[in-house]
Amino acid sequence: MTDFTSFEQDAIQELFNLGIGRAADALSQMVDDEVLLSVPHFEVVNRQEAIRIIQERSASQVAAIRQNFHGHIHGTAMLIYPEANSMELVRTLLGDSTPLEALTELEQESLLEVGNVILNACLGTFANVLAMEFMFELPEYMRGSCSDLLGQSIGMDDCENQQVVFLIVDFITGANTARHNTIKGFVILLLDVSAISELKNELNKMGA
Amino acid sequence: MMVAHHSLEGTLLTACFAEAAMGVVLLNHEREVVLWNRWMEKASRLTALEATGRTLLDIFPELAGSRLLRAIGEAAELGLPAVLSHKLNPCPMPLYPPYPSSAAERPRMSQLISVSGLNVPGLPRHVMLQIQDVTNTVSRECQLRQQTQDLEQRARDLRLAQQNAQQANEAKSRFLANMSHEIRTPMNAILGLTTLALHADPNKKNRDYLEKINSSGRYLLNLINDILDFSKIEAGKLDLEETHFDLAKLLGRLAEGFSFQAAKKEIELCLVTPASLPEFLIGDPLRLEQILTNLINNALKFTPKGEVVIAVQPAAEQPAEPDKIRLLFSVQDTGIGIPPENLAKLFQPFTQADNSTTRHFGGTGLGLNISKRLVELMNGEITSQSVPNQGSTFGFTANFGRTEAGTRQSRFLNSSAVLVGASALVVDDNLTSCKILSEVLGSFGLKVAVVNSGEEALSLFADGHHFSWVIMDRRLPGMDGMLASREIIRRFRTPKGEPYVILLTPHNLRKTCEEAQEVGIDECLTKPAPATTILERMMGIIHKEPVLPDSIGASPSREVAFQGRLSGKHLLLVEDNLINQQVACELLENAGARVTVSNNGREALQQLQTITVDAVLMDVQMPEMDGYEATRLIRTLLALTDLPIIAMTANAIQGDREKCLAVGMNDYISKPVEVATLHEVLAKWLGCVPPQPAPPVRVSQTGWPSSLPGLDVNAGLSRLGEDPLFYQRIIRQFMQNHGEDACKIRQMYNDNYRLEAGKLLHTLKGLAGNLAATDLYHSAKALEIALDQGEDARIPAMLDGLDTCMAITQESSRQLLRFGLEATPEVPPVADGKIDGLLMELEECLSSFNMRANDVYHQLCTHNPRLSHQHSWLEMGEQLDKLNYAQALKMLPGLAKTLNRSLP
């Protein structure tokens, strides 16, 4: 039984809100401009559902930043954007309005850094709660169809019904200026079965 | 051992890191450097020895508070990895790329740094930095970006330039449309006023000036039309008409129009039109004429001597649709020719074969381009061939619709059977012309002989050869055509009337025709004539169908017909330009109409609330309220839905007509207004061809001769709508009012009142034309010309001639009046009492200077439509319009007399 109780869900959401808040601070510092991140939607769903939601709300082609982790437990954190939005995000953050047909190499690196900052914030919070040592891999930049990207995440049993923590993140840049822009992205945390039960344990300890 | 192995492995690994092709730095849990590879030594200028054991902040103090240090902290504490991209952290560490110049000038290395935590069991967490040199990537990307920006800027510039060009082009079109309007308005005044002035019998010198002004004006108008056509075609706004037209007539008219120009340069103009061509086509005759005119004009212009041959034939390839026909037209000259390299350029706008020819030959250089585009609109192709100093041939194909009507050939096939086997002699010095004529005659079934001079023709006859037909060119070397014809007729004509002689004149001079008639020539044709015309005239000669000589041609009789055509009609002229007001007023008043003038749409609306008119002539562009708005309001506000409104506008751009009709106007006349068009359009909407009620007595014409000496009864009747009663009445009036004119004219001439004599002659000529008093007409006309040109030596004899003609006409008239109808009492169209009443009322009004006189007069006119265009009536109307009542009163008895009344 790997379903989360509503208490557990609330607790996870609270943790992620904290993490996203930290990410916003870090980004603002990096680009020297106020960047607001909000989480309008949070859900714990299975992988199929996650794919469906992303496909519903975004384009078929997506860009993603992936960070795998292992150690005691295995998992993957991903930040996904519709491909066009990913470019927009980088440009907006860099205050760059030059339209280029595709992300250049250097811009991919920037997207990687931005994704890394957000995922680190979430994963840092997560690691803190679980209070165990993880091995984090360096972030990777990927592009392709949503199901491909989610499907090929590290080999785990029972992929179909695997629970994922799913967040929609709105990037709001230049809130009070002409550059004001809101860009939607998706943060996904894929965990293996032992990771989930470990997480449930720790969450319930916090609640107790 | 273990340690040794361990240390051996460690040494190997250290060596790996040392040689790595990127920067590798390893920090321990104290964040002190434990590994600083060779790449780092080069980039930082610090040896591993110098770096080891120190923190990064110690080595590079500028890193304080940097993202790199934060990332190292996160990696050390939580094991979280980080990537530092160049865009967000351009050069985190003071490293330099390995360029061979001095460090001071070198830019810092652009870097991409990865930070990862290393978890090794049993050891505190270490942090590894990997540094990539992305300087080259950055500069490549910079270049790329710069190029892209440049391209985009260029694209923006081009878009802007294109927009500007488009705007300029639109402005040009608008300018052209406006200019055409602006130019046409004064042109209207110039052409209209010169026409009026020419009608007012100017003296010889002034007539010459006026005619030159008029023809220059028309030339200018043609130029403007060319430019307009060009811009219309450019804008894709030129549509072709689809109407029935008579191809042979069009070609004949065209050839006739050019015959004078050709004759002046002594160029032989030939026309090749096989009789197998369809008689009627569906297409745009005006545009076809425009193309041909352009090509013929060019041919004549660039041909100093020789010939110009215009030919038409069905094209080799016919369109698939059975109701279409493709014709091939060609215009071939023997002119100066065009070098091949210039031939292709000819069809480009604003281009002439040789720029220097512009000065020699004039012209806009638009003609051929317009022709080419028009031909393309007709689904055809225009081609040109030329050999310098030998001549050029311009040909084009065009598609037309066929009509139900058969070809002339089929129509004439039976009737022309009489010609088959008859002999014909062609006398012409031009070989091409001879060839064409003998082919034409041959195609009718005639046996044709050809000679090249009058002398040869005569000697053939003298040798006993006989020909039924002689086709004689007027212009021959040696003995001219007229003289040769005279001799042939005098010496060799049989009692049967053979040979029939047809004289071809380079252009149809009336004098030539008159002379030809005296000589006994059967027919005078303008050269070149289409085959069908030749056949028609030949049939006419055989069947004794006299074709009225051109001297009673269309124009004078049409002019006469306009007189009084609009009498009794009240028109509202809405026009802001004073000169144009005058032109239109006089043209309309000359036709007997009463004209009220409004200066703009608003005035017109006001006036229409108080007066009733028969039609409105509406200018389109006016101050205050334009013609469109005025029309709309007349239709809606005043609810005058049936009132004919005719637009008169100088806007010549297509679509104006549609716009006029769309706002509720009935028709459209383009300025400059052509007199004939104006009258035709008005007649159409006013229905004011002289009313033709069923004649009270339907006369069988059996008792009438078809002609009497000096009086072509049939022609007269047909001109008066086959109404014998009407004809008789007019003849009677003519005798009453003008019987003494010949004497009067002689008297005036003798008393040196030349101007007055000329005026009366002019009137007499017009009336005689109307009556089909042919001899009198010619006689009066000749005298008028002689008087005008001051040929005084000829005048006394001509005055005698006029007397004779008048006597003959009167005698014939008396005869005609005796035929049957004289007894029939003339029934006035309204009750006698009413006419008497109106006459008395008119007298009263005139005596008391009451302005009702005009109304009463118009009532009388309405009751006597046939009289109302008579001279005395028109004059009365004129005096009334001028409010000259005293004069009108004096004229009243004369008026009453025409009504068979006498005033107490």
Side-chain angles (χ1 to χ4, degrees):
Chain A
M1 185 59 213
T2 52
D3 280 355
F4 288 91
T5 64
S6 67
F7 164 76
E8 288 161 358
Q9 290 207 16
D10 285 351
I12 297 174
Q13 181 163 15
E14 197 49 46
L15 286 173
F16 273 106
N17 278 342
L18 266 173
I20 293 293
R22 278 178 53 201
D25 284 346
L27 284 178
S28 300
Q29 225 177 335
M30 273 166 55
V31 301
D32 211 7
D33 190 6
E34 190 178 27
V35 178
L36 301 174
L37 298 180
S38 69
V39 183
H41 186 82
F42 169 86
E43 219 176 330
V44 179
V45 294
N46 65 28
R47 189 200 295 248
Q48 289 306 314
E49 186 67 6
I51 293 173
R52 193 188 60 73
I53 296 174
I54 296 172
Q55 280 174 343
E56 229 169 59
R57 301 195 181 210
S58 119
S60 57
Q61 285 295 306
V62 293
I65 315 301
R66 182 172 74 179
Q67 268 180 256
N68 295 331
F69 54 92
H70 37 86
H72 246 87
I73 55 173
H74 290 266
T76 297
M78 290 180 93
L79 177 64
I80 298 178
Y81 293 100
E83 208 174 1
N85 285 18
S86 64
M87 195 158 40
E88 211 181 326
L89 177 70
V90 173
R91 301 271 157 79
T92 312
L93 286 174
L94 297 175
D96 181 355
S97 58
T98 323
L100 276 177
E101 289 315 306
L103 275 183
T104 66
E105 205 178 319
L106 294 173
E107 283 172 333
Q108 279 183 24
E109 305 295 351
S110 303
L111 191 62
L112 200 61
E113 182 172 356
V114 170
N116 173 235
V117 167
I118 293 166
L119 292 177
N120 274 1
C122 296
L123 287 171
T125 314
F126 184 68
N128 265 338
V129 170
L130 292 185
M132 56 174 76
E133 288 286 307
F134 288 107
M135 292 288 291
F136 294 102
E137 291 178 8
L138 277 168
E140 301 162 282
Y141 172 82
M142 302 159 78
R143 45 190 285 193
S145 76
C146 175
S147 51
D148 284 353
L149 293 191
L150 276 173
Q152 61 172 246
S153 37
I154 48 168
M156 284 181 278
D157 307 330
D158 194 14
C159 278
E160 292 311 304
N161 296 315
Q162 189 182 13
Q163 292 281 306
V164 302
V165 178
F166 181 90
L167 304 92
I168 292 177
V169 181
D170 284 347
F171 286 77
I172 300 162
T173 54
N176 299 312
T177 69
R179 280 174 51 215
H180 174 85
N181 205 348
T182 301
I183 296 159
K184 267 195 189 337
F186 310 92
V187 172
I188 281 175
L189 197 57
L190 288 144
L191 299 169
D192 68 1
V193 182
S194 58
I196 285 172
S197 61
E198 202 66 48
L199 182 59
K200 281 161 85 83
N201 275 342
E202 291 301 324
L203 289 172
N204 288 320
K205 261 193 250 170
M206 281 167 61
Chain B
M1 183 67 193
M2 188 73 185
V3 172
H5 174 76
H6 193 95
S7 91
L8 253 184
E9 207 169 59
T11 310
L12 198 58
L13 283 175
T14 310
C16 277
F17 280 118
E19 298 308 317
M22 65 189 308
V24 177
V25 176
L26 187 64
L27 306 174
N28 63 16
H29 65 288
E30 300 288 346
R31 300 181 201 174
E32 291 159 351
V33 174
V34 290
L35 190 82
W36 189 266
N37 73 350
R38 200 167 334 272
W39 190 95
M40 280 304 291
E41 288 184 325
K42 280 188 193 161
S44 66
R45 311 279 183 281
L46 288 172
T47 60
L49 215 62
E50 286 170 306
T52 312
R54 297 165 69 189
T55 64
L56 273 187
L57 185 61
D58 187 21
I59 299 169
F60 304 124
E62 61 225 85
L63 287 181
S66 70
R67 163 132 166 81
L68 178 61
L69 284 195
R70 280 203 308 279
I72 291 172
E74 267 193 351
E77 281 156 25
L78 293 167
L80 287 168
V83 173
L84 273 71
S85 69
H86 164 262
K87 292 253 175 189
L88 293 163
N89 319 270
C91 307
M93 285 195 272
L95 306 177
Y96 297 89
Y99 294 150
S101 49
S102 71
E105 292 163 18
R106 284 180 203 176
R108 271 198 192 185
M109 177 197 289
S110 298
Q111 302 154 42
L112 175 65
I113 301 184
S114 312
V115 182
S116 27
L118 296 179
N119 285 357
V120 178
L123 274 180
R125 187 182 280 126
H126 281 55
V127 173
M128 182 170 71
L129 306 184
Q130 301 171 66
I131 302 126
Q132 285 178 51
D133 179 357
V134 292
T135 310
N136 289 339
T137 315
V138 169
S139 66
R140 261 202 319 275
E141 212 161 281
C142 260
Q143 269 177 11
L144 185 67
R145 188 165 289 239
Q146 189 56 48
Q147 280 170 7
T148 313
Q149 277 173 353
D150 288 351
L151 281 176
E152 273 157 7
Q153 184 58 43
R154 216 170 300 166
R156 272 196 298 276
D157 290 349
L158 283 174
R159 265 198 303 277
L160 195 69
Q162 190 190 15
Q163 270 172 13
N164 287 342
Q166 254 164 13
Q167 276 167 5
N169 199 33
E170 277 160 27
K172 185 189 80 179
S173 299
R174 273 199 305 280
F175 172 77
L176 276 175
N178 287 340
M179 276 315 280
S180 91
H181 179 261
E182 292 300 320
I183 295 170
R184 274 160 176 267
T185 305
M187 287 304 293
N188 186 42
I190 293 167
L191 294 180
L193 288 176
T194 47
T195 306
L196 283 173
L198 281 166
H199 280 236
D201 286 332
N203 64 31
K204 189 181 164 189
K205 201 164 144 191
N206 284 343
R207 171 174 294 276
D208 178 51
Y209 294 160
L210 287 166
E211 276 167 355
K212 280 174 183 160
I213 294 172
N214 207 277
S215 68
S216 304
R218 278 175 204 286
Y219 178 71
L220 183 54
L221 196 61
N222 281 339
L223 289 186
I224 296 165
N225 287 342
D226 260 9
I227 295 169
L228 265 178
D229 274 351
F230 176 73
S231 53
K232 270 192 275 185
I233 294 172
E234 282 277 277
K237 282 183 180 157
L238 191 127
D239 302 315
L240 293 183
E241 276 199 43
E242 288 275 314
T243 49
H244 289 237
F245 68 97
D246 184 331
L247 179 63
K249 276 215 177 113
L250 184 146
L251 292 169
R253 195 170 60 237
L254 210 57
E256 194 173 332
F258 280 107
S259 63
F260 183 71
Q261 200 183 332
K264 232 171 31 185
K265 290 179 81 173
E266 306 221 331
I267 293 168
E268 191 77 29
L269 194 60
C270 303
L271 191 57
V272 185
T273 57
S276 59
L277 287 174
E279 180 178 4
F280 289 106
L281 296 172
I282 302 172
D284 193 329
L286 287 179
R287 294 303 180 182
L288 175 62
E289 201 173 320
Q290 190 178 353
I291 302 168
L292 284 166
T293 301
N294 184 258
L295 297 183
I296 299 170
N297 238 330
N298 282 347
L300 288 175
K301 198 155 75 174
F302 296 107
T303 303
K305 65 181 188 334
E307 57 197 41
V308 171
V309 182
I310 308 156
V312 196
Q313 64 190 82
E317 276 176 38
Q318 286 297 318
E321 303 96 321
D323 58 339
K324 296 261 182 221
I325 182 167
R326 190 172 179 82
L327 295 182
L328 171 65
F329 296 80
S330 67
V331 177
Q332 187 176 8
D333 66 46
T334 56
I336 57 173
I338 303 153
E341 63 270 23
N342 287 342
L343 209 54
K345 283 194 281 182
L346 273 185
F347 295 103
Q348 291 166 10
F350 310 109
T351 306
Q352 293 189 329
D354 169 6
N355 270 338
S356 68
T357 55
T358 310
R359 285 188 299 279
H360 293 304
F361 298 102
T364 55
L366 282 178
L368 277 176
N369 180 261
I370 293 172
S371 297
K372 177 171 181 277
R373 312 269 197 115
L374 288 174
V375 165
E376 282 161 4
L377 282 175
M378 295 180 182
N379 296 314
E381 234 182 317
I382 197 161
T383 55
S384 56
Q385 287 149 13
S386 188
V387 180
N389 299 321
Q390 288 186 29
S392 315
T393 305
F394 283 83
F396 67 92
T397 49
N399 285 0
F400 298 94
R402 288 173 185 272
T403 67
E404 297 292 310
T407 61
R408 263 173 214 273
Q409 194 185 30
S410 65
R411 212 179 61 173
F412 280 109
L413 210 56
N414 293 330
S415 55
S416 64
V418 285
L419 294 176
V420 174
S423 55
L425 178 65
V426 171
V427 190
D428 195 331
D429 60 322
N430 180 281
L431 296 180
T432 311
S433 177
C434 280
K435 186 165 160 279
I436 293 168
L437 279 171
S438 48
E439 271 170 20
V440 166
L441 295 172
S443 75
F444 302 154
L446 289 133
K447 289 183 295 189
V448 189
V450 177
V451 291
N452 301 119
S453 71
E455 288 86 348
E456 284 175 77
L458 277 171
S459 67
L460 267 185
F461 272 100
D463 290 350
H465 293 280
H466 175 77
F467 298 96
S468 303
W469 295 89
V470 174
I471 316 294
M472 175 81 71
D473 189 14
R474 166 83 158 91
R475 219 178 43 197
L476 289 172
M479 180 188 276
D480 87 343
M482 185 70 84
L483 194 58
S485 302
R486 183 200 295 264
E487 285 306 299
I488 290 172
I489 290 166
R490 194 173 61 81
R491 290 166 53 191
F492 303 109
R493 182 169 269 181
T494 64
K496 231 175 91 193
E498 287 188 356
Y500 304 114
V501 180
I502 295 179
L503 185 70
L504 300 176
T505 68
H507 53 277
N508 210 340
L509 282 180
R510 292 198 177 137
K511 223 162 80 189
T512 311
C513 287
E514 283 161 11
E515 204 182 323
Q517 271 188 321
E518 279 167 30
V519 169
I521 288 168
D522 297 273
E523 189 63 71
C524 214
L525 280 179
T526 304
K527 188 181 180 186
T532 45
T533 308
I534 297 175
L535 181 59
E536 241 172 34
R537 296 293 170 95
M538 289 174 85
M539 300 310 297
I541 292 169
I542 291 178
H543 294 120
K544 302 273 183 288
E545 285 170 6
V547 179
L548 272 184
D550 278 358
S551 38
I552 303 195
S555 51
S557 66
R558 203 151 75 151
E559 246 165 66
V560 171
F562 291 142
Q563 286 177 9
R565 203 168 174 184
L566 298 174
S567 54
K569 298 295 182 189
H570 188 177
L571 303 173
L572 180 65
L573 173 72
V574 192
E575 161 73 65
D576 61 318
N577 181 300
L578 286 181
I579 301 176
N580 284 344
Q581 277 181 11
Q582 188 195 349
V583 172
C585 272
E586 289 197 27
L587 287 177
L588 295 167
E589 279 166 358
N590 281 352
R594 200 149 61 93
V595 184
T596 305
V597 177
S598 304
N599 290 310
N600 58 52
R602 198 174 303 286
E603 266 186 49
L605 279 180
Q606 282 160 4
Q607 275 169 318
L608 281 174
Q609 282 167 352
T610 53
I611 59 168
T612 307
V613 298
D614 296 294
V616 178
L617 286 163
M618 179 82 77
D619 189 17
V620 171
Q621 291 192 351
M622 288 177 293
E624 297 266 335
M625 181 189 289
D626 70 14
Y628 299 129
E629 179 66 4
T631 304
R632 209 179 54 72
L633 291 174
I634 290 170
R635 295 295 188 223
T636 54
L637 201 65
L638 304 184
L640 294 171
T641 47
D642 296 331
L643 178 65
I645 301 179
I646 294 147
M648 291 204 299
T649 168
N651 294 1
I653 296 280
Q654 193 131 10
D656 285 349
R657 188 191 175 89
E658 288 68 24
K659 204 167 161 193
C660 288
L661 299 183
V663 296
M665 299 196 195
N666 300 72
D667 215 326
Y668 171 105
I669 304 172
S670 145
K671 283 181 189 172
V673 173
E674 290 278 342
V675 190
T677 320
L678 175 67
H679 285 292
E680 265 160 35
V681 169
L682 276 173
K684 178 171 149 202
W685 292 103
L686 295 173
C688 56
V689 186
Q692 302 286 336
V697 186
R698 187 70 241 172
V699 186
S700 139
Q701 284 172 27
T702 38
W704 283 46
S706 69
S707 70
L708 288 165
L711 210 54
D712 187 338
V713 178
N714 273 357
L717 272 171
S718 87
R719 190 161 296 149
L720 295 170
E722 306 292 346
D723 182 349
L725 197 61
F726 189 21
Y727 192 31
Q728 280 189 335
R729 191 166 348 138
I730 288 201
I731 284 180
R732 191 181 311 115
Q733 278 157 11
F734 172 76
M735 287 174 56
Q736 279 170 7
N737 299 333
H738 295 274
E740 305 300 312
D741 276 9
C743 300
K744 284 187 200 162
I745 289 162
R746 183 188 292 277
Q747 192 61 46
M748 285 171 180
Y749 177 76
N750 290 340
D751 294 349
N752 212 16
Y753 289 115
R754 300 174 69 102
L755 210 60
E756 288 74 6
K759 270 188 193 167
L760 190 52
L761 264 171
H762 190 73
T763 312
L764 185 62
K765 181 188 73 180
L767 289 166
N770 255 359
L771 291 175
T774 327
D775 294 348
L776 186 60
Y777 173 86
H778 286 306
S779 175
K781 187 178 161 62
L783 186 51
E784 191 189 0
I785 293 170
L787 199 63
D788 188 39
Q789 304 192 342
E791 297 172 26
D792 282 59
R794 294 173 58 202
I795 288 179
M798 292 174 90
L799 277 170
D800 292 345
L802 188 70
D803 270 344
T804 318
C805 288
M806 180 62 103
I808 293 170
T809 306
Q810 288 200 339
E811 179 49 36
S812 293
S813 298
R814 272 189 283 276
Q815 272 186 39
L816 193 69
L817 290 175
R818 274 198 289 277
F819 275 97
L821 302 163
E822 181 64 352
T824 317
E826 192 175 315
V827 185
V830 282
D832 288 5
K834 178 120 192 221
I835 296 244
D836 287 334
L838 286 171
L839 275 172
M840 275 167 68
E841 197 180 347
L842 183 54
E843 189 183 18
E844 235 178 78
C845 290
L846 289 175
S847 320
S848 58
F849 294 94
N850 185 335
M851 282 176 71
R852 254 186 58 71
N854 293 45
D855 288 343
V856 177
Y857 165 74
H858 282 290
Q859 278 182 44
L860 269 171
C861 285
T862 343
H863 288 310
N864 300 279
R866 287 182 186 161
L867 297 177
S868 58
H869 68 272
Q870 273 196 8
H871 189 67
S872 54
W873 283 67
L874 290 177
E875 232 167 21
M876 170 71 94
E878 227 168 82
Q879 298 302 336
L880 285 174
D881 282 346
K882 291 181 194 158
L883 302 184
N884 205 342
Y885 287 172
Q887 186 60 33
L889 193 58
K890 279 188 207 152
M891 293 166 60
L892 195 54
L895 195 77
K897 212 169 147 193
T898 66
L899 288 163
N900 293 331
R901 298 288 191 289
S902 58
L903 287 171

